[in-house]
Amino acid sequence: MSVQISVTMNQTDVMVDLPGVTEVAFEAARQMMTRSLERSSVKNRDAVKDTFITLLKACPEANPSDLWHHIVYRQYLEILPAHRVQNPDQSWKRASGDALEVAIAEIHEPLFAENNIRIQVLVGRPKKIAALMAMGISGVVGSDKLDVALYIDDTDEIFGGVHVKASLAERISDDVPCSREMMQNGFFSPLWTLDVKSFPPPHPDPLVNRGELGSPTAPSEKRGYVEKHGSFDHLFSANARSMPSSGTTPSGKRVMRLNLATQPNLFAQEVIARAKLFKEQGRAAAPPPPVTPSDR
Amino acid sequence: MSVQISVTMNQTDVMVDLPGVTEVAFEAARQMMTRSLERSSVKNRDAVKDTFITLLKACPEANPSDLWHHIVYRQYLEILPAHRVQNPDQSWKRASGDALEVAIAEIHEPLFAENNIRIQVLVGRPKKIAALMAMGISGVVGSDKLDVALYIDDTDEIFGGVHVKASLAERISDDVPCSREMMQNGFFSPLWTLDVKSFPPPHPDPLVNRGELGSPTAPSEKRGYVEKHGSFDHLFSANARSMPSSGTTPSGKRVMRLNLATQPNLFAQEVIARAKLFKEQGRAAAPPPPVTPSDR
DNA sequence: CTCGACCGGTCGA
DNA sequence: TTCGACCGGTCGA
């Protein structure tokens, strides 16, 4: 039960192994993507979101980050040109970022509803501004840097928000100021990522999607944002190759590896716990964010 | 004395007018780009840098940002594939950013030398760390966000640094934390940009490179970073379509439009003035950065 | 070899 | 219509 795909890059063919992916699931994804993109009324982000969720359900053993990077991404680039005139690479950047936010909301909606939590994608500036105002950080420079909001019950009482990133690059720093302010004001501020990153040939492990977090013993800059500086209420990575934090971290904040197949996953557990704490104790319940001397 | 180019995008042909550009200059640029890229020993960024500087000298009346966006950029995409196997769009992103930093240093080196100022591109992490340490902001999160350093004479005494961006997008926020810290510590921290931004058809003014600063009366988010929040020691734009600040700004910091043909240009004047002030009074000479209530 | 920052067409609200 | 944020192959040090 494993599909191999061939990717041509820099005039080199690379075979990529996708454990946990069946031919049937692979073809179902292609069909979902094609059916979606051929209808001009379907938003590009929804084509991506629906294809990803189809794959997640069909391949519970697979690495979600690989499903995204090697199947959804590459099928989008392949299929889009038949239906849209736009540049497929740039279209992917624009559409896939939104798609991931919507997918995360959709995946968790039922479970969160059972726990009297509402998850909402903050689409459009007014919604973002409103959410940030509710947390007392409106008007701040770079303020509309929050993707997804978390509310208590059906109220507008916000207890936190999720920073969503398909890949980290240097762009992780964009989210830090907003996240720190949220934490300082007592709101829950996790980072949810697929941590997608692979290198093309002639890299020694071409197209192996290792992500950018390094290991606890050889931490990358990005791992430091969480483990050392504690700039988020944990980093949840849905890349099976991400190495979780080990032992205690300087900031107390951790890299957590998500297994989306076992529900409630670690992210969902944390959201539910923090909602409960918020209902019992309000904003005061949140621990103050750690500050290291070399931190901003 | 004006060249028109035809750009095909989204299956539409768009004619772009380039006032101040002669056929001779246009062909000289193409030759410089070709000659550079066909030699595998020439770094991609140097091909870009040399072509840009060739054009700047040959076309003093032209809009520098247009030279970059419509000639250097498009010629690079056209010519690179004949000599390199890599993806030309991604290659441009990687190489052009570095090229602009090197170009700015090269353009100003002679004038700055006359004024006992040294400008240095901070290439490689160790150099960046050293420069930031010298300004007392080492180890800070997102700290290696400085591109170019400015020193007094031939010493290692740093009095500031330049944040360089070809285009702004949301990425301008990356530079804010470092810049604010620099200013707070008494160092000179301007932003130098080409402010490149055009929209493809079917936009009403397809491919017109208007930039992203809006106007003083209808300020964009990016203009607010400077005029309202004062996050940089002025924003110097080499896009002739950038509208400079008018009257006084809330922060005292301004958008300035550069005319590179008249030397010393506004950027050079400010660098020289700040170097003089620094020599006379040291870091204390720098005015404290303005802080507005809605600022971080 | 490793691993960081570079940028622009897109597409919605 | 305007104008914001989305992301990944590259290529050096």
Side-chain angles (χ1 to χ4, degrees), chain A residues 17-263:
Chain A
D17 195 46
L18 296 171
V21 181
T22 60
E23 274 295 341
V24 172
F26 188 83
E27 286 308 319
R30 180 187 298 281
Q31 189 163 105
M32 172 65 77
M33 186 69 87
T34 304
R35 291 271 180 283
S36 303
L37 291 178
E38 72 190 5
R39 296 204 291 140
S40 64
S41 64
V42 174
K43 293 189 178 82
N44 294 9
R45 69 169 174 225
D46 288 323
V48 172
K49 181 260 294 178
D50 289 333
T51 305
F52 183 50
I53 287 184
T54 299
L55 278 165
L56 279 179
K57 284 181 183 158
C59 314
E61 303 291 309
N63 180 355
S65 185
D66 278 6
L67 297 177
W68 184 269
H69 183 54
H70 290 304
I71 305 182
V72 185
Y73 172 43
R74 300 189 197 287
Q75 285 187 356
Y76 186 85
L77 296 188
E78 189 184 323
I79 296 169
L80 188 81
H83 307 285
R84 309 271 200 277
V85 303
Q86 281 77 11
N87 179 307
D89 294 280
Q90 296 290 61
S91 175
W92 168 258
K93 292 176 187 184
R94 178 61 174 81
S96 68
D98 287 359
L100 184 59
E101 298 169 16
V102 178
I104 291 168
E106 190 169 314
I107 289 167
H108 294 92
E109 243 156 33
L111 175 64
F112 286 176
E114 287 173 30
N115 289 273
N116 302 308
I117 293 164
R118 187 162 49 90
I119 183 166
Q120 181 185 44
V121 177
L122 296 173
V123 54
R125 271 187 107 244
K127 276 212 183 88
K128 292 201 188 195
I129 304 282
L132 291 157
M133 266 184 57
M135 293 188 289
I137 51 177
S138 72
V140 165
V141 178
S143 62
D144 37 1
K145 289 287 183 186
L146 181 63
D147 303 307
V148 171
L150 294 165
Y151 301 91
I152 299 291
D153 301 317
D154 289 331
T155 69
D156 284 332
E157 188 162 29
I158 192 167
F159 69 93
V162 191
H163 309 271
V164 178
K165 296 197 104 58
S167 57
L168 302 176
E170 87 289 3
R171 298 173 274 100
I172 187 178
S173 69
D174 291 356
D175 297 281
V176 169
C178 181
S179 176
R180 296 198 69 86
E181 194 123 10
M182 284 172 63
M183 293 165 72
Q184 206 167 324
N185 291 3
F187 295 96
F188 179 49
S189 179
L191 177 66
W192 200 109
T193 183
L194 291 167
D195 190 24
V196 167
K197 183 66 179 182
S198 74
F199 289 89
H203 192 276
D205 293 318
L207 298 189
V208 175
N209 175 27
R210 295 209 184 284
E212 304 186 65
L213 291 167
S215 63
T217 49
S220 67
E221 282 253 305
K222 287 104 191 183
R223 185 177 288 268
Y225 276 93
V226 182
E227 293 187 349
K228 185 174 171 212
H229 302 294
S231 298
F232 299 95
D233 280 322
H234 309 306
L235 182 158
F236 297 89
S237 170
N239 185 339
R241 292 189 193 81
S242 295
M243 311 257 313
S245 300
S246 60
T248 57
T249 63
S251 71
K253 305 300 181 186
R254 313 181 69 78
V255 171
M256 309 231 198
R257 182 169 59 211
L258 289 175
N259 183 343
L260 299 182
T262 62
Q263 295 297 9

Side-chain angles (χ1 to χ4, degrees), chain B residues 13 34 56 66 87 96 110 118 131 145 199 274:
Chain B
D13 288 338
T34 304
L56 279 179
D66 278 6
N87 179 308
S96 68
R118 187 162 48 88
K145 288 286 182 186
F199 288 89
R274 289 292 297 256

